[in-house]
Amino acid sequence: METKQYQFDQTIIDRLVAFRAEHKLTVSALANKLRTDVTRMSKYLHGAPDVDPRGLEARARDLLRAAARRKASDVPTFATNVLEEFEDTVEQIRMTNDLGVATGPAGIGKTVSAVRYVAEHGSAIMVTVTAMSGTASGVCNLIFRAIDDGGYNYKQSRAEYIIDRLTGMDWPIIVDQAQLLKSSGREFLVNLWDATRCPMCLVGNPEILDDFRKNDQYFSRIGIWAKLALDNAEAAARKTVDAVLGKGQPEELYDMATAVASRVHGGYLRALNKQLMLASDMMASDKFRAAGGDITKAFQCAHRKLVRDYKI
């Protein structure tokens, strides 16, 4: 039987070869980052893919884009206790193949921490639930799109394909916005974990556990629970200001930023980042600067333009 030939993008192969050399990666390590097996990876790099490589190439583009952004970015990155605790939690879940939960108030950096973890751990899978994708079929489709590398043969259901693909792989699955899961979505994830024992971390607001408590069978599966909270708003605020605007800003601005980062409602780092970006846009206006506007006034103006129920 004649072997089927698949079209591939030679430019991506060349860039992956250069990426592998730059980061001193084995073929196995590169395959792990792109969520495929070493044989399939090797065949693709040699220009002889044995399955449709479009899914693999899509993930390769994402990997290369992310690497380029990190390399070219002038914005310094910084760690908060939330980011560090999140990474420790996922690593514990990964080492024990557990079904775990990481909860915390909105805006403290849970999603940013998840994105950072996935960027630095190529084997990790992240899906983000929405109000429209919280059902069993919605979650199934999210995970399917995240892992399909062109090997799906349509002779089995997507759920069966996901189970076959994940069993024995130990790829951490991070489910963000897990508070939006419907009952059937939670059931799907618990059954997926039962079938694959793939490490899984559900990330979201504290009501996640309230929903799981409604079913003893599901709740009994939960192992590690990380209760995330921002423990030093002042330090995090100063780092956020420096990252967005550059170091050496007026102390008055740092004080106001801390006030925003400390607020439970209408605050924390997500709100602070949004306010800083708006203030930065205002400072780009010649009209604003000509009227005597400086960065502290811009920050105050941004505060008034956003939905805030407190003063700074």
Side-chain angles (χ1 to χ4, degrees), residues 269-283:
L269 299 183
R270 180 189 299 156
L272 174 57
N273 185 70
K274 184 182 296 184
Q275 193 161 327
L276 287 167
M277 294 298 291
L278 183 54
S280 179
D281 289 343
M282 290 179 182
M283 286 299 296

Side-chain angles (χ1 to χ4, degrees), residues 34-55:
L34 294 174
R35 300 196 300 276
T36 190
D37 61 68
V38 65
T39 301
R40 192 163 288 169
M41 186 79 259
S42 180
K43 288 181 178 180
Y44 176 75
L45 290 175
H46 285 89
D50 59 350
V51 297
D52 188 338
R54 285 178 293 180

Side-chain angles (χ1 to χ4, degrees), residues 280-295 298:
S280 179
D281 289 343
M282 290 179 182
M283 286 299 296
S285 166
D286 293 336
K287 183 178 180 180
F288 183 85
R289 294 197 308 275
D294 58 19
I295 189 59

Side-chain angles (χ1 to χ4, degrees), residues 195-217:
T196 64
R197 283 299 192 269
C198 212
M200 187 180 299
C201 181
L202 309 181
V203 185
N205 297 348
E207 57 262 32
I208 295 174
L209 281 182
D210 294 335
D211 293 329
F212 270 88
R213 283 191 180 95
K214 297 173 183 177
N215 186 307
D216 289 343
Q217 290 294 320

Side-chain angles (χ1 to χ4, degrees), residues 8-305:
F8 56 88
D9 189 331
Q10 183 62 47
T11 302
I12 292 180
I13 293 178
D14 294 341
R15 292 177 64 196
L16 284 176
V17 169
F19 177 83
R20 183 185 161 209
E22 179 184 357
H23 297 278
K24 298 180 174 58
L25 298 174
T26 64
V27 174
S28 178
L30 181 61
N32 200 33
K33 284 183 175 294
L34 294 174
R35 300 196 300 276
T36 190
D37 61 68
V38 65
T39 301
R40 192 163 288 169
M41 186 79 259
S42 180
K43 288 181 178 180
Y44 176 75
L45 290 175
H46 285 89
D50 59 350
V51 297
D52 188 338
R54 285 178 293 180
L56 175 63
E57 289 181 339
R59 292 196 300 280
R61 290 188 189 95
D62 287 341
L63 175 70
L64 294 167
R65 257 197 312 267
R69 283 197 300 268
R70 288 195 297 271
K71 190 173 182 179
S73 175
D74 292 324
V75 179
T77 58
F78 60 88
T80 66
N81 70 290
V82 172
L83 189 148
E84 293 168 353
E85 290 171 17
F86 181 85
E87 181 169 4
D88 289 344
T89 298
V90 179
E91 284 298 289
Q92 291 170 359
I93 291 170
R94 184 184 62 80
M95 289 187 292
T96 58
N97 291 83
D98 215 340
L99 172 58
V101 174
T103 64
I108 62 169
K110 300 186 300 295
T111 296
V112 170
S113 299
V115 170
R116 176 79 68 86
Y117 183 90
V118 172
E120 296 181 353
H121 299 78
S123 63
I125 301 164
M126 179 178 173
V127 298
T128 301
V129 180
T130 68
M132 294 181 289
S133 63
T135 62
S137 60
V139 175
C140 179
N141 288 334
L142 288 174
I143 297 176
F144 175 83
R145 287 194 293 269
I147 67 172
D148 181 37
D149 62 358
Y152 181 55
N153 60 20
Y154 298 95
K155 295 180 181 178
Q156 58 184 168
S157 70
R158 287 189 170 191
E160 290 171 331
Y161 173 78
I162 290 170
I163 291 172
D164 288 348
R165 196 81 178 83
L166 294 181
T167 300
M169 296 305 291
D170 292 337
W171 295 340
I173 302 174
I174 298 173
V175 181
D176 193 27
Q177 295 286 77
Q179 73 273 6
L180 298 178
L181 289 167
K182 311 297 185 186
S183 177
S184 64
R186 289 190 292 274
E187 181 179 10
F188 177 86
L189 289 173
V190 170
N191 289 336
L192 177 62
W193 180 78
D194 277 341
T196 64
R197 283 299 192 269
C198 212
M200 187 180 299
C201 181
L202 309 181
V203 185
N205 297 348
E207 57 262 32
I208 295 174
L209 281 182
D210 294 335
D211 293 329
F212 270 88
R213 283 191 180 95
K214 297 173 183 177
N215 186 307
D216 289 343
Q217 290 294 320
Y218 299 166
F219 188 66
S220 66
R221 302 294 203 282
I222 301 294
I224 294 170
W225 175 25
K227 298 175 279 294
L228 304 175
L230 194 63
D231 67 1
N232 191 333
E234 181 181 2
R238 295 185 75 92
K239 290 178 180 179
T240 303
V241 171
D242 290 346
V244 176
L245 301 176
K247 295 183 178 181
Q249 300 299 322
E251 282 301 317
E252 183 182 359
L253 177 62
Y254 289 119
D255 291 341
M256 290 189 295
T258 300
V260 174
S262 302
R263 298 292 299 196
V264 175
H265 300 293
Y268 287 133
L269 299 183
R270 180 189 299 156
L272 174 57
N273 185 70
K274 184 182 296 184
Q275 193 161 327
L276 287 167
M277 294 298 291
L278 183 54
S280 179
D281 289 343
M282 290 179 182
M283 286 299 296
S285 166
D286 293 336
K287 183 178 180 180
F288 183 85
R289 294 197 308 275
D294 58 19
I295 189 59
T296 57
K297 291 179 180 177
F299 190 79
Q300 291 168 332
C301 288
H303 189 84
R304 290 192 292 270
K305 285 181 175 290

